[in-house]
Amino acid sequence: MMTLLSQQTCQVCNASALLLQDEQIKVLFTELQAQSAKSQQWQLVEDQGVLKLACEFSTKRYQHSIAFVNQIAELAESVNHHPLLVVEYGVVTVQWWSHIIKGLHRNDFIMAVKTSELFSAMTLNRN
């Protein structure tokens, strides 16, 4: 039985880490989509030749955006793996990729799922 991405931990990633191959990305992306809420549509985006995971989270209020970003920051610090965060009034855009290898690593999929879980938990607590 496969361990859910959300139950995995990030591994130390250095410059010698290998980028994921297309088939590995396909498998992990399918897992990411299956383990994220339907409202959270992760996408594969290419930015200046670097493949990244991206998702927009609708928070409805700036205060909620900031609270969500702070939770992501705590998570990122805990594993020393940091995303691009764009904060708008009612939307937070998150992009995960491994800066040191300029592309996707398993860590990025783990962190994307954990980001989705943080958002789902925050949304449940608000209702």
Side-chain angles (χ1 to χ4, degrees), residues 99-114:
H99 301 79
I100 197 161
I101 60 172
K102 295 180 177 60
L104 292 173
H105 185 274
R106 183 175 201 84
N107 292 346
D108 302 304
F109 289 89
I110 293 168
M111 295 303 283
V113 166
K114 291 183 179 199

Side-chain angles (χ1 to χ4, degrees), residues 2-3 5 27-36 106 113:
M2 188 169 44
T3 304
L5 286 169
V27 168
L28 289 169
F29 190 73
T30 300
E31 286 181 45
L32 170 60
Q33 295 295 64
Q35 293 175 40
S36 299
R106 183 175 201 84
V113 166

Side-chain angles (χ1 to χ4, degrees), residues 3-124:
T3 304
L4 293 174
L5 286 169
S6 62
Q7 296 171 341
Q8 296 178 33
T9 55
C10 287
Q11 305 299 311
V12 174
C13 185
N14 58 38
S16 66
L18 298 176
L19 286 169
L20 292 174
Q21 299 301 309
D22 289 345
E23 191 57 38
Q24 294 168 303
I25 290 170
K26 220 179 280 184
V27 168
L28 289 169
F29 190 73
T30 300
E31 286 181 45
L32 170 60
Q33 295 295 64
Q35 293 175 40
S36 299
K38 294 210 184 308
S39 64
Q40 301 159 14
Q41 293 298 307
W42 285 94
Q43 298 176 13
L44 289 167
V45 297
E46 190 174 321
D47 179 19
Q48 299 179 357
V50 177
L51 199 55
K52 304 175 181 183
L53 295 172
C55 188
E56 285 188 356
F57 295 87
S58 178
T59 60
K60 297 191 174 46
R61 295 181 57 196
Y62 188 73
Q63 177 182 11
H64 296 154
S65 294
I66 294 300
F68 180 46
V69 164
N70 285 336
Q71 289 180 346
I72 296 169
E74 277 187 45
L75 173 65
E77 279 294 302
S78 75
V79 295
N80 195 30
H81 189 50
H82 304 89
L84 170 69
L85 300 169
V86 179
V87 182
E88 300 177 65
Y89 174 78
V91 177
V92 174
T93 304
V94 181
Q95 289 188 357
W96 287 104
W97 78 100
S98 295
H99 301 79
I100 197 161
I101 60 172
K102 295 180 177 60
L104 292 173
H105 185 274
R106 183 175 201 84
N107 292 346
D108 302 304
F109 289 89
I110 293 168
M111 295 303 283
V113 166
K114 291 183 179 199
T115 301
S116 288
E117 287 182 339
L118 282 176
F119 186 74
S120 292
M122 186 183 90
T123 304
L124 284 175

